[in-house]
Amino acid sequence: MSGTRAPRRIVLVGFMGAGKTTVGRLLAARLGLRFVDLDDEVEARTGRRVAELFAERGEDGFRAAEREAAAALATAGDCVLATGGGAWAQPATRALLARDAASVWLDAEFDTLLARLPDDGSRPLASTRATMRALFAQRLPAYALAQRRVNAAGPPEAVAREVLEALGWTLDAQRGTEGR
Ligand code: S3P
């Protein structure tokens, strides 16, 4: 048994409010891996906040920047990568994110997700309930393309544990001995 080892790169996908960033940080700390947030990468590369990008360049401009950030990260090695809620629904971005990664969909009921979103203007697509519900429904088939699906309704610690279980990773993964 030599040669290839399983990738130690987890990509968390799912709708706004799923807890991708919070759970991602926990997972990274547990596994001793670097944590990366795709929106942070977009902001660092463009020098703009996500809301500013939407305002200045529209959603298409944001998606282009998001795709470029995903491309830059595709070769960045092992990490836990939290994506923005729309990234995985963009086929070209998804292909970049999926490269050598274990993808996990953090899934929860629409109402649970919605209740977690602060009304602070940081998410330009967080508009009316009806619009968001339509967006949620439209994205479900894309989220379902992730390799694993984990219920994200519970507290972040529990969700992080479930992600590790779903992947069959134990904390031994820190030493590269995960049984995948
Ligand atoms: C978006 C979700 C946001 C952010 C941007 C667009 C979306 O990330 O990428 O506002 O299209 O669902 P979070 O899922 O972290 O809120």
Side-chain angles (χ1 to χ4, degrees):
M1 296 278 290
S2 63
T4 57
R5 72 161 172 74
R8 294 171 65 214
R9 185 177 174 96
I10 302 176
V11 172
L12 299 177
V13 310
F15 203 63
M16 292 173 265
K20 304 177 293 289
T21 300
T22 308
V23 171
R25 283 189 196 287
L26 286 171
L27 279 171
R30 292 264 179 81
L31 293 166
L33 291 176
R34 184 161 73 104
F35 173 74
V36 184
D37 185 285
L38 187 60
D39 281 338
D40 287 351
E41 186 69 18
V42 168
E43 292 186 345
R45 293 172 59 87
T46 60
R48 301 275 190 285
R49 305 308 302 264
V50 167
E52 289 171 346
L53 274 174
F54 269 82
E56 290 175 16
R57 306 181 193 173
E59 181 170 354
D60 286 352
F62 170 75
R63 296 298 169 206
E66 186 179 57
R67 192 169 56 248
E68 283 162 22
L73 291 172
T75 53
D78 294 346
C79 64
V80 178
L81 173 55
T83 63
W88 191 254
Q90 304 289 315
T93 304
R94 183 169 64 241
L96 291 161
L97 294 170
R99 221 179 263 175
D100 291 331
S103 51
V104 182
W105 172 20
L106 299 189
D107 183 30
E109 298 283 330
F110 177 71
D111 287 339
T112 304
L113 298 168
L114 206 62
R116 287 181 183 163
L117 294 182
D119 187 14
D120 61 1
S122 62
R123 291 175 172 87
L125 294 182
S127 57
T128 66
R129 186 186 170 83
T131 305
M132 290 188 71
R133 188 180 269 290
L135 190 61
F136 177 68
Q138 181 193 315
R139 286 179 177 172
L140 290 179
Y143 295 147
L145 296 173
Q147 292 167 334
R148 300 282 188 280
R149 173 181 178 173
V150 164
N151 187 316
E157 286 282 355
V159 178
R161 259 196 316 274
E162 282 179 41
V163 170
L164 289 175
E165 272 168 34
L167 290 171
W169 289 18
T170 67
L171 292 183
D172 285 338
Q174 266 171 312
R175 295 188 292 276
T177 56
E178 67 272 28
R180 301 182 70 239

